[in-house]
Amino acid sequence: MASTVITHLLFPLAFLVILFSTAASRQLNEKLYIVYMGDVPSPDIQDYSQTAATASHLSLLHSLHGSYEAAQESFVHSYWKSFNGFAAWLSSSHAQHLSNTDGIVSVFESKKAKPLTSRSWDFVGLPLSQQTNDLEYQSDVIVGVLDTGVWPESESFDDKGLGPIPSKWKGVCQTTPDFKSCNKKIIGASFYNKGSGSEPEAGEFISPRDSDGHGTHTASTAAGSIVKNASLFGFAQGDARGGVPGARIAIYKVCFSDCSDVDILAAFDDAIHDGVDIISVSIGYSNGGFLPPLNYFEDSIAIGAFHAMKRGILTSNAACNDGSVGTVCNYSPWSLTVAASSIDRQFKSQLNLGNQTSFEGRAINTFTMEQPWYPLVYGGDATNVSGGFSSQDSSGCKLYSLDRSLVEGKIVLCYLADPYDLPDGGVYVSGGAGAIIMYDPMNDTASSFIVPATLIFNKEGEVIRSYINSTSSPTASIEKGVVRNDLPAPIVASFSSKGPNQITPNLLKPDITAPGVDILAAWSKAAPMTTSPLDKRVVDFNIVSGTSMACPHATGAAAYVKSFHPDWSPAAIKSALMTTASTFDATLEGNRAGELGYGSGQINPLKAINPGLVYEADAKSYINMLCSQGYNETSLRLLTGESVTCSSKLSENGVWELNYPSMMIVRDVSEPIFVQFPRTVTNVGPPKATYQAKLDAPLGMNVTVEPDTLSFTSSNQKMSYNVKIESRVVPDDYALLSGALTWSSGNYSVRSPIVVYYVKQ
């Protein structure tokens, strides 16, 4: 039987050199599972270590398989630093047997997740001048980034001016022949590939080095150093930097061809132990809403984030890129779930036709065409029939679907059926001069292409097709891209996944929004500039879009707040970001989904460092909520490592009683509403302050708050209030009703959205 030796360099003990079969040679009925066992044993167990943990996990597998040899072959990885569990190859019957075993919270198959700026920080009100003034506060903040790794030589990770590495740091720099060292900016770097179960793809680094670009981009957005005059071939030129340019970065590479649960949990286990302050995860189980939502404790990111929260670490998550209502991911209440929005800048590329008609398309078109005009052809009329392709294939300009003799030297009109299968590569290999790409759903983002190209609406494409059919010699030209500024913004990106939360509908998700459209940040020199592997251009910075880009903006904002308030809890930081967020104009096209699209609003880091009041919540608060969701006491006891008793009074009220900064009700249209939201706020502003409530009730709702005045006499004083919402009439033509409760005192304004969402069962 072929086998692979897997040695995790963080764990040099000979005991952990484990032999296990590759995915190709496993028994056909075996899959890779996570066996999650909750919190680590009590600190009173003095000899608990990696050796002890692995021995106990192998013992469970031994009882299952009947032999130590089979147990070792099944075993993949132990989690023991920050929580308890292991990964192993199991049959479905063995997995079911373990799930019924005492001491185990959940057993679930290891899934494959996917990785989901010069102007953006200015747009959210955090100018470079302010960031440089605050560098001294940021030096002790460590941002952990779980992603595709990093390109350490990028200027964004220059450690010039940084002092010694914070003494609290306990992590490592996992060096390899292609990753020689860390520095005072990237203070730690590790990689995790036990869950891939296959050989690496060509060009992939088995090290913390990034061959994709995604991880380099997100890390530099969150906490990159200041780089003057950064741009992509002159586009988006300005001073690139992260939200906390003086902070440190710890890299945890969990994504190779994909991102395995096994590796995500291993990285969380290490990051929590290593001493990071904020964890950034631009990864998600994006499925378009076609698969059942994940139970909180069958979700590796939710599990890791829970244990991070218990140890004072906030996890910032991307909300996913499926776009439609009900597809939001990473929705655990102890995480910060981040949607993506635009900034007041767009990249345009004008298309001119030979009949003097013009269209302004969306593209980061870095090319200047050599000739003023080129022949124009529709891809569907240039099919590579001898290659076995259909006109449907060539209409989308799929790779090798175009007849070179019919498109060489011409601009090609292409339909785009799949946003992840761009047609420019097909035009490129067939010798086309450029591409006009027709696509409606995501025309609010700009892409880079391997040939001169621009993205237009389908209706405009039909006009172009009519022009092609009206003349024997149609011509066109595509101008080099330009930047359009001062546009209406922010607008929720069309790709940004929206609520409601499918596991806990009465908890508003996403929490907040941050810039995620056309973001400039550092890039890996091993990654193509565009999505095409044919593109050989190497760039230091790239412009890309996604909730993956929004997440590190929120991470940077959270780290910025942490730098001023190192003793604040994850809930307090999250509350500060949510209650000070800038509101959206719900009348703008793109913002019509309301809070289901943008949550509490767009991050405002400068306001968040001084919010006045915060909503605190700890592990016990979340456990009470989980009790109301039907989680049993035994599992919750394992989860927390403490005694848990679920109150018989808890039902769905347990969600509304969670001390959350937003308020959400999901109701069937046939059901009346009578809901109470008890809340407690902590004074983190001036010791003596009086706050007055202002209610903006959702349409048709009777909303009251008692008391409506909160008078504080000291710092950190807590005061409680209760919001009652009642309605027996469903307003006509409304599915989403929005309002807010704002507590005001002088310059302080603490806003909580109130959202009622009617559904038909």
Side-chain angles (χ1 to χ4, degrees):
M1 178 181 290
S3 61
T4 303
V5 180
I6 300 296
T7 308
H8 201 308
L9 298 184
L10 294 183
F11 306 134
L13 297 175
F15 185 77
L16 281 193
V17 180
I18 302 297
L19 292 175
F20 72 93
S21 304
T22 62
S25 59
R26 297 301 311 172
Q27 295 294 323
L28 291 177
N29 65 339
E30 288 185 332
K31 295 180 180 179
L32 190 54
Y33 281 86
I34 306 289
V35 181
Y36 173 54
M37 303 171 71
D39 207 1
V40 293
S42 167
D44 296 336
I45 303 177
Q46 298 296 324
D47 64 346
Y48 189 74
S49 63
Q50 180 190 9
T51 302
T54 305
S56 69
H57 299 154
L58 283 170
S59 177
L60 275 170
L61 290 171
H62 177 268
S63 66
L64 196 68
H65 292 291
S67 79
Y68 189 76
E69 181 180 2
Q72 270 199 315
E73 186 173 291
S74 170
F75 176 84
V76 174
H77 185 82
S78 272
Y79 309 108
W80 63 279
K81 292 180 178 179
S82 308
F83 46 86
N84 189 15
F86 62 93
W89 291 98
L90 300 170
S91 66
S92 59
S93 60
H94 282 163
Q96 181 62 42
H97 178 82
L98 282 176
S99 69
N100 296 323
T101 301
D102 289 344
I104 292 176
V105 176
S106 60
V107 179
F108 56 95
E109 187 179 338
S110 178
K111 298 168 293 300
K112 303 292 186 181
K114 290 289 183 184
L116 290 167
T117 90
S118 53
R119 172 67 183 138
S120 55
W121 286 112
D122 291 309
F123 182 70
V124 297
L126 189 57
L128 178 60
S129 58
Q130 185 69 48
Q131 289 174 305
T132 52
N133 288 341
D134 300 333
L135 288 178
E136 61 179 299
Y137 298 105
Q138 301 168 17
S139 185
D140 283 337
V141 176
I142 304 171
V143 177
V145 181
L146 278 63
D147 214 295
T148 66
V150 71
W151 192 262
E153 293 83 6
S154 169
E155 285 186 81
S156 291
F157 308 117
D158 192 327
D159 65 356
K160 183 179 179 180
L162 289 176
I165 292 171
S167 58
K168 65 184 177 183
W169 173 246
K170 295 185 288 185
V172 301
C173 184
Q174 193 172 356
T175 59
T176 67
D178 60 53
F179 197 95
K180 301 293 186 182
S181 65
C182 296
N183 62 10
K184 290 184 288 186
K185 183 64 174 180
I186 299 176
I187 62 174
S190 303
F191 69 94
Y192 307 81
N193 63 340
K194 288 186 176 182
S196 61
S198 61
E199 293 299 316
E201 293 185 354
E204 182 59 86
F205 300 107
I206 308 303
S207 77
R209 185 172 290 279
D210 180 14
S211 64
D212 180 89
H214 190 274
T216 300
H217 199 280
T218 57
S220 63
T221 300
S225 300
I226 300 166
V227 181
K228 297 288 186 179
N229 296 315
S231 73
L232 175 65
F233 293 115
F235 288 87
Q237 187 164 6
D239 297 330
R241 77 275 188 187
V244 275
R248 319 307 176 109
I249 301 173
I251 297 295
Y252 301 88
K253 181 178 176 179
V254 298
C255 299
F256 287 79
S257 58
D258 48 38
C259 321
S260 167
D261 278 340
V262 169
D263 301 323
I264 292 169
L265 276 174
F268 265 109
D269 194 23
D270 285 345
I272 296 166
H273 171 269
D274 291 345
V276 304
D277 295 292
I278 305 288
I279 295 176
S280 189
V281 187
S282 289
I283 300 167
Y285 307 99
S286 186
N287 60 53
F290 298 116
L291 298 176
L294 295 176
N295 177 302
Y296 290 127
F297 298 115
E298 293 180 357
D299 178 342
S300 64
I301 297 173
I303 291 169
F306 182 87
H307 291 281
M309 173 275 301
K310 281 196 66 185
R311 288 158 178 80
I313 304 163
L314 176 63
T315 300
S316 174
N317 292 128
C320 279
N321 298 333
D322 291 312
S324 54
V325 169
T327 60
V328 65
C329 71
N330 294 322
Y331 35 65
S332 65
W334 44 84
S335 298
L336 181 67
T337 308
V338 188
S341 60
S342 65
I343 60 175
D344 57 350
R345 174 186 72 192
Q346 288 184 352
F347 299 100
K348 300 285 190 176
S349 179
Q350 182 162 307
L351 166 67
N352 302 311
L353 301 181
N355 64 358
Q356 299 186 351
T357 302
S358 297
F359 301 97
E360 190 172 62
R362 289 294 303 273
I364 307 163
N365 182 24
T366 62
F367 299 97
T368 299
M369 302 194 81
E370 296 178 357
Q371 301 170 199
W373 295 99
Y374 288 80
L376 175 63
V377 64
Y378 169 52
D381 297 332
T383 307
N384 178 10
V385 177
S386 63
F389 292 94
S390 67
S391 60
Q392 183 175 357
D393 296 326
S394 64
S395 68
C397 301
K398 291 185 176 180
L399 207 60
Y400 306 113
S401 68
L402 297 169
D403 186 331
R404 188 178 186 91
S405 67
L406 297 176
V407 302
E408 188 168 13
K410 299 179 181 180
I411 292 175
V412 187
L413 176 65
C414 312
Y415 278 107
L416 177 60
D418 182 353
Y420 299 102
D421 185 19
L422 295 176
D424 55 322
V427 174
Y428 175 78
V429 298
S430 301
I436 304 167
I437 303 168
M438 305 164 57
Y439 188 61
D440 278 349
M442 286 173 58
N443 213 282
D444 54 349
T445 63
S447 296
S448 299
F449 303 97
I450 196 171
V451 295
T454 192
L455 190 69
I456 61 171
F457 290 108
N458 285 341
K459 64 181 181 181
E460 296 169 335
E462 292 305 323
V463 173
I464 298 169
R465 280 198 69 185
S466 295
Y467 164 64
I468 292 172
N469 294 329
S470 71
T471 177
S472 59
S473 302
T475 58
S477 66
I478 301 171
E479 296 183 12
K480 185 176 180 179
V482 296
V483 179
R484 299 278 188 250
N485 293 311
D486 302 320
L487 298 169
I491 295 174
V492 177
S494 60
F495 59 77
S496 187
S497 288
K498 299 165 181 66
N501 177 343
Q502 293 294 298
I503 289 290
T504 310
N506 290 310
L507 186 78
L508 179 62
K509 289 287 180 170
D511 291 305
I512 204 161
T513 308
V517 175
D518 301 341
I519 303 300
L520 177 81
W523 198 248
S524 167
K525 289 191 175 183
M529 177 186 140
T530 63
T531 58
S532 173
L534 302 169
D535 194 346
K536 303 304 179 186
R537 289 174 293 175
V538 174
V539 295
D540 294 315
F541 292 85
N542 206 355
I543 300 171
V544 292
S545 300
T547 54
S548 281
M549 286 61 252
C551 170
H553 277 91
T555 302
Y560 187 67
V561 174
K562 182 77 172 180
S563 71
F564 284 89
H565 306 285
D567 59 339
W568 276 15
S569 69
I573 295 171
K574 179 176 173 178
S575 170
L577 291 170
M578 291 173 65
T579 60
T580 61
S582 302
T583 56
F584 276 67
D585 182 351
T587 65
L588 291 176
E589 189 69 32
N591 292 342
R592 301 291 174 81
E595 289 82 358
L596 296 182
Y598 49 70
S600 295
Q602 179 157 270
I603 57 168
N604 189 329
L606 273 182
K607 281 191 174 182
I609 61 174
N610 197 10
L613 305 174
V614 294
Y615 293 85
E616 286 281 14
D618 56 14
K620 185 176 180 180
S621 305
Y622 298 118
I623 291 299
N624 285 337
M625 190 218 78
L626 292 171
C627 283
S628 73
Q629 297 285 284
Y631 290 82
N632 66 67
E633 293 177 356
T634 302
S635 294
L636 295 177
R637 195 174 303 121
L638 292 168
L639 179 70
T640 62
E642 302 170 0
S643 177
V644 172
T645 302
C646 289
S647 170
S648 59
K649 297 179 181 180
L650 289 172
S651 57
E652 66 178 342
N653 293 342
V655 178
W656 293 321
E657 291 173 4
L658 178 65
N659 201 38
Y660 214 69
S662 59
M663 293 172 246
M664 175 86 174
I665 302 170
V666 175
R667 270 289 184 266
D668 184 87
V669 293
S670 64
E671 296 177 344
I673 290 175
F674 183 79
V675 175
Q676 298 190 54
F677 292 91
R679 292 292 187 264
T680 299
V681 287
T682 302
N683 180 26
V684 295
K688 294 184 179 180
T690 298
Y691 286 81
Q692 190 69 40
K694 178 186 176 183
L695 274 169
D696 176 16
L699 184 65
M701 299 291 128
N702 180 27
V703 183
T704 59
V705 56
E706 296 180 359
D708 61 4
T709 301
L710 302 175
S711 296
F712 295 91
T713 58
S714 62
S715 297
N716 297 314
Q717 182 181 356
K718 297 180 184 294
M719 297 194 75
S720 298
Y721 66 89
N722 190 58
V723 174
K724 295 180 182 179
I725 302 177
E726 185 174 9
S727 178
R728 298 185 183 279
V729 179
V730 181
D732 293 335
D733 300 323
Y734 279 92
L736 180 75
L737 307 174
S738 300
L741 166 63
T742 304
W743 291 99
S744 299
S745 176
N747 293 327
Y748 293 94
S749 183
V750 186
R751 183 180 181 276
S752 293
I754 301 172
V755 182
V756 179
Y757 184 55
Y758 282 104
V759 296
K760 290 184 178 180
Q761 300 292 349

